[in-house]
């Protein structure tokens, strides 16, 4: 409610009161102008999405790349890529990073985020694990067995490719669609014979359940890469271009610092995310998340995935050419 008394102007002016009122109003106008000018000169704000397995914030700070930023960073933590891309749709994020299949589906649905660079991983990042004492030594041994896999994304596509390459039909393997949180106890209890998942879930299954890999990304050729993509909202790419370029450069340097200083980087990741120290270290030492430009290999890998989703019937309509999924102006090139 407005205090009406503050808006009342007396008509009984005394000599000089009009002058005083003009000086006061002039001073207020000057102060307002100063505040507007200060606001206009304020540092831009980048809204950045982070996830525990990515460690952007942790690596930027530990490497020293977060010092003397010419902009502010507003961090948001996400449990997975899908809610992060929903934030892009709501114009709540400027920069983020997700897996390729999550980005691909969001792009096909009209998400305004575009890829500007990538993170590649060692092929062992996404393995097909066999249950201890299962007797499964190769993919063909999965015939008649239960294979847990996350539904609707890259791991399911990878499972179809592995099954086909092994000379099996999809109906030969009993696919059990479980998200990692449900698949982990099912695998530990022996309710499924095999599990296709990604680190750190795969790392924990190997360490805690005696699981062992029988296949990984190398065995699906170009069907699925497992790459991550660094994403920028189309509007932010126009309005905050200089800040984004600086952030991307700092992020790449921080990521390379993390790979060269695994112990220090893992400690920073543990502090920021509360991950188990051994798991945090393995994410860097074993899977080597490496900055990569949007070269032909990275671009073609996303196209192969798009074609694969349609070929295996995981989507009803072809995504088509994905060339517009990449930002040609901000993209990092080889």
């Amino acid at each position: 409610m407005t205090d009406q008394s503050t808006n009342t102007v007396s008509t009984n002016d005394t000599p000089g009161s009009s002058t005083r009122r003009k000086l006061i109003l002039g001073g207020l106008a000057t102060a307002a102008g100063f505040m507007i000018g200060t606001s206009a000169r304020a540092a831009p704000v980048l809204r950045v999405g982070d996830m525990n397995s990515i460690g952007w914030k942790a690596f930027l700070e530990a490497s020293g790349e977060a010092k003397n930023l010419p902009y502010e960073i507003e961090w948001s933590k996400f449990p997975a890529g899908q809610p992060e891309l929903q934030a892009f749709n709501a114009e709540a994020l400027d920069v983020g990073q997700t897996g390729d299949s999550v980005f691909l589906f969001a792009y096909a649905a009209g998400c305004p985020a575009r890829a500007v660079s990538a993170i590649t991983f060692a092929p062992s990042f996404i393995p097909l694990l066999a249950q201890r004492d299962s007797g499964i030594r190769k993919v063909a041994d999965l015939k008649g067995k239960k294979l847990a896999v996350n539904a609707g994304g890259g791991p399911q596509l990878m499972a179809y490719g592995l099954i086909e390459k092994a000379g099996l039909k999809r109906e030969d393997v009993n696919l059990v669609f479980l998200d990692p949180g449900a698949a982990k106890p099912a695998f530990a209890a022996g309710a499924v014979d095999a599990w296709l998942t990604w680190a750190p879930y795969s790392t924990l299954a190997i360490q805690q359940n005696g699981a062992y890999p029988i296949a990984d990304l190398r065995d699906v050729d170009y069907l699925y890469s497992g790459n991550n993509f660094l994403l920028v909202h189309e509007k932010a790419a126009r309005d905050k271009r200089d800040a984004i370029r600086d952030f991307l450069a700092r992020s790449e340097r921080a990521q390379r610092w993390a790979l060269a200083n695994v112990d220090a980087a893992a400690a920073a990741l543990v502090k920021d995310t509360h991950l188990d120290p051994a798991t945090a270290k393995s994410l860097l030492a074993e899977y080597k998340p490496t900055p990569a430009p949007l070269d032909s290999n990275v671009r073609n890998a996303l196209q192969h995935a798009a074609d694969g989703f349609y070929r295996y019937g995981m989507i009803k309509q072809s995504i088509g050419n994905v060339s517009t999924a990449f930002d040609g102006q901000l993209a990092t090139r080889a």
Side-chain angles (χ1 to χ4, degrees):
M1 180 180 295
T2 302
D3 183 355
Q4 297 294 326
S5 64
T6 61
N7 295 328
T8 302
V9 178
S10 172
T11 56
N12 299 319
D13 290 337
T14 58
S17 64
S18 176
T19 300
R20 285 195 299 273
R21 199 160 51 245
K22 289 179 181 178
L23 288 172
I24 292 170
L25 292 175
L28 289 174
T30 300
F34 174 77
M35 291 174 64
I36 292 171
T38 301
S39 176
R41 293 192 298 271
V45 176
L46 279 187
R47 300 166 301 170
V48 182
D50 197 11
M51 285 187 277
N52 284 351
S53 59
I54 290 173
W56 257 352
K57 183 174 183 288
F59 298 158
L60 278 167
E61 292 179 350
S63 66
E65 290 292 343
K67 294 179 180 179
N68 302 317
L69 292 172
Y71 46 84
E72 296 179 13
I73 298 180
E74 181 182 286
W75 293 99
S76 297
K77 186 82 76 175
F78 294 90
Q82 187 171 2
E84 184 174 321
L85 284 158
Q86 290 171 350
F88 272 114
N89 283 330
E91 293 191 18
L93 277 186
D94 300 318
V95 182
Q97 183 183 156
T98 70
D100 51 1
S101 58
V102 178
F103 166 55
L104 187 61
F105 286 132
Y107 159 75
C111 179
R114 292 294 178 266
V116 294
S117 63
I119 298 288
T120 63
F121 297 87
S124 57
F125 180 64
I126 306 181
L128 195 164
L129 302 175
Q131 184 65 260
R132 179 176 54 193
D133 303 326
S134 66
I136 299 171
R137 300 298 174 190
K138 56 185 182 300
V139 177
D141 295 335
L142 290 175
K143 187 172 184 178
K145 304 290 187 178
K146 293 180 179 179
L147 170 61
V149 64
N150 195 59
Q156 183 181 350
L157 175 63
M158 182 175 169
Y160 286 157
L162 289 171
I163 289 169
E164 182 181 60
K165 189 174 180 180
L168 300 177
K169 297 178 181 179
R170 269 187 268 178
E171 53 268 28
D172 290 334
V173 181
N174 184 3
L175 292 181
V176 182
F177 294 112
L178 298 171
D179 63 49
K184 187 178 185 298
F187 185 78
V192 294
D193 304 292
W195 184 18
L196 200 161
T197 190
W198 56 91
Y201 300 106
S202 58
T203 307
L204 294 173
I206 292 170
Q207 293 173 347
Q208 299 173 0
N209 308 125
Y212 56 92
I214 61 170
D216 59 29
L217 287 167
R218 283 168 289 202
D219 299 294
V220 286
D221 302 320
Y222 293 104
L223 177 63
Y224 179 57
S225 68
N227 293 336
N228 273 11
F229 282 104
L230 278 64
L231 309 176
V232 173
H233 194 286
E234 288 182 322
K235 186 174 185 297
R238 295 191 302 269
D239 300 344
K240 304 177 182 180
R241 181 172 296 272
D242 291 341
I244 289 172
R245 285 189 186 279
D246 181 82
F247 175 80
L248 293 174
R250 290 172 185 262
S251 296
E252 179 171 339
R253 292 195 297 267
Q255 190 72 30
R256 295 193 184 281
W257 170 88
L259 292 172
N261 299 272
V262 171
D263 289 338
L269 193 58
V270 169
K271 182 179 179 181
D272 184 60
T273 66
H274 306 296
L275 282 173
D276 173 80
T279 301
K281 187 173 181 178
S282 71
L283 285 171
L284 293 165
E286 296 181 37
Y287 308 120
K288 304 185 187 308
T290 304
L294 295 180
D295 59 18
S296 59
N297 289 333
V298 169
R299 292 170 182 261
N300 289 340
L302 191 65
Q303 186 65 62
H304 287 307
D307 297 340
F309 283 120
Y310 181 64
R311 179 161 66 90
Y312 286 109
M314 293 178 64
I315 54 176
K316 294 182 179 180
Q317 185 174 352
S318 172
I319 295 175
N321 191 310
V322 300
S323 59
T324 56
F326 308 105
D327 185 315
Q329 299 299 315
L330 280 172
T332 302
R333 293 182 173 86

